[in-house]
Amino acid sequence: MPRLLGVDIPNDRPTVISLTYLYGVGPKSARQLCQDAGIDPHKRARELHEDEVARLAAILDKDFVVEGQLRRQVAQNVSRLRDIACYRGLRHRRGLPVRGQRTRTNARTRKGPRRTVAGKKGVKDLR
């Protein structure tokens, strides 16, 4: 298994797909990375030589923000929003959707499992 920036990329997949296992590398940047390094994107990751892996690592270090550095940058951006107490920061703090989605229904991923509130709604209230 080739190792790039501390991450094992899968052997049995094409290089262009294997590169997307790195945090911050999507399909488009993986194609660009293969092109810059002069590597066939359809070549399996296990067929890469050490010099090709070294070229990929050098280009990633030079041109891309990936893995730990990107995770740190995202965490700093969120903490900055929390610290200045802007609307988006408050939504992050409360664990609610940040980008304007509705919360009356849905939003279960951010809000977590349902918690039933006793006596909130019932037939007695309607009469």
Side-chain angles (χ1 to χ4, degrees):
M1 241 186 220
R3 194 163 174 84
L4 279 171
L5 303 175
V7 177
D8 292 330
I9 59 174
N11 275 331
D12 54 340
R13 298 186 182 271
T15 306
V16 72
I17 303 298
S18 294
L19 288 173
T20 61
Y21 279 68
L22 296 168
Y23 183 78
V25 177
K28 184 177 179 179
S29 52
R31 283 193 300 274
Q32 183 66 39
L33 195 57
C34 286
Q35 186 180 11
D36 291 348
I39 297 170
D40 178 25
H42 302 293
K43 189 178 191 180
R44 301 284 171 176
R46 68 172 157 257
E47 299 167 359
L48 292 176
H49 297 292
E50 285 105 27
D51 62 324
E52 292 174 327
V53 174
R55 270 187 293 179
L56 285 171
I59 293 170
L60 277 168
D61 280 338
K62 187 177 67 160
D63 295 338
F64 293 88
V65 179
V66 290
E67 280 303 318
Q69 188 179 358
L70 182 60
R71 289 179 202 271
R72 208 170 307 107
Q73 201 173 40
V74 170
Q76 286 174 347
N77 289 341
V78 171
S79 67
R80 179 182 53 84
L81 291 172
R82 285 178 172 185
D83 292 343
I84 64 174
C86 66
Y87 182 78
R88 282 174 54 204
L90 295 176
R91 303 298 282 185
H92 274 293
R93 195 178 295 163
R94 292 179 185 154
L96 293 170
V98 177
R99 297 185 178 178
Q101 297 92 334
R102 67 181 297 130
T103 57
R104 183 170 177 170
T105 59
N106 303 330
R108 291 277 47 117
T109 302
R110 288 289 295 187
K111 291 169 78 171
R114 285 193 171 91
R115 295 178 302 274
T116 306
V117 178
K120 183 176 179 185
K121 196 172 185 182
V123 180
K124 297 176 201 168
D125 297 338
L126 296 176
R127 291 184 182 166

